[in-house]
Amino acid sequence: MSDDELAQAAGLRAAAIEATTIVTAGERGDDSARAVRLRDAGERGDELARAVGLREAGKRDEARELLVALAARYPDDAEVAYQTAWVHDALGLEAEAVPFYVRALAGDGLNAEDRLGSFVGLGSTYRVLGRVAESLATFERGLAEFPGDAGLRTFNAMALYSSGRAREAVSTLLAIVAESDRAGGYARAISYYAENLDERYVENLDETI
């Protein structure tokens, strides 16, 4: 092999070694990043579980402090946002709960139960704050996803009442009672009047109007 051929072969070997080194370093970097993500996810889960446990144990202020910190670290985490909203509501801090409920509903990752809870929580909180139009809009969104949920419909009835739509509110509540197991033998009559609440019998005229 000539000197030129030897030099060329040596150059090719050096290039191969360099490429292998770069790929290996990249793989190590990927593994390192993956390990960090896994560790971070584990810490997030542990801290969230701890915060929920504190809230359930009645230590709401401690839970709030931990959840606010978690929400700052994971601003796009819908589950963390929901739990943070919940603890603010539990402490009577309705105005502070709102942005976390909004964040929870805007994100992904909530199971159906927590998403339903977010709609109920946000809609109810808006109503308590006097933001009735936003409350009704929230319940409308929630009912589009959970049309048969009795709790959501009940809180929506409260918002209807607060908006001055008392008849719709009572009709909604009557319908919920008629569909429940609490109507006794009156389910049919209650269901009828839910749709015909203004109907009354005029005794002297012997007619129903």
Side-chain angles (χ1 to χ4, degrees):
M1 184 178 290
S2 68
D3 290 342
D4 288 342
E5 289 173 332
L6 288 171
Q8 186 177 8
L12 289 172
R13 283 198 301 274
I17 292 170
E18 182 180 1
T20 302
T21 302
I22 292 172
V23 170
T24 303
E27 289 175 348
R28 288 173 180 168
D30 289 345
D31 289 342
S32 177
R34 189 179 299 111
V36 170
R37 288 195 297 271
L38 289 172
R39 184 176 68 249
D40 194 45
E43 290 175 356
R44 172 262 188 205
D46 290 344
E47 290 181 28
L48 183 59
R50 179 172 166 241
V52 172
L54 286 169
R55 191 200 71 232
E56 292 175 344
K59 299 178 180 179
R60 295 170 180 170
D61 288 312
E62 292 179 52
R64 175 177 176 266
E65 182 178 351
L66 183 55
L67 284 164
V68 167
L70 272 175
R73 284 169 55 194
Y74 304 100
D76 298 322
D77 191 311
E79 187 179 10
V80 169
Y82 174 54
Q83 293 296 336
T84 308
W86 188 343
V87 78
H88 280 88
D89 250 354
L91 286 165
L93 302 172
E94 287 85 0
E96 290 88 339
V98 167
F100 293 109
Y101 278 129
V102 171
R103 192 187 301 181
L105 288 170
D108 296 321
L110 284 183
N111 59 38
E113 181 180 358
D114 288 349
R115 189 161 176 82
L116 173 60
S118 293
F119 278 120
V120 172
L122 180 58
S124 179
T125 298
Y126 275 144
R127 188 188 72 85
V128 170
L129 293 171
R131 299 163 64 174
V132 180
E134 291 167 285
S135 175
L136 288 170
T138 300
F139 287 130
E140 184 177 355
R141 286 177 57 205
L143 288 167
E145 292 189 30
F146 304 96
D149 185 77
L152 191 58
R153 291 161 65 199
T154 299
F155 280 98
N156 183 53
M158 297 181 204
L160 287 169
Y161 177 82
S162 295
S163 72
R165 296 156 65 181
R167 186 189 183 286
E168 290 179 66
V170 174
S171 293
T172 298
L173 293 173
L174 286 175
I176 293 168
V177 172
E179 295 164 11
S180 74
D181 59 357
R182 300 292 183 179
Y186 303 100
R188 184 177 177 182
I190 294 171
S191 181
Y192 176 83
Y193 283 113
E195 298 294 329
N196 303 277
L197 192 59
D198 293 325
E199 185 176 288
R200 63 188 179 90
Y201 180 73
V202 181
E203 184 176 2
N204 293 336
L205 298 178
D206 193 27
E207 66 179 27
T208 301
I209 61 173

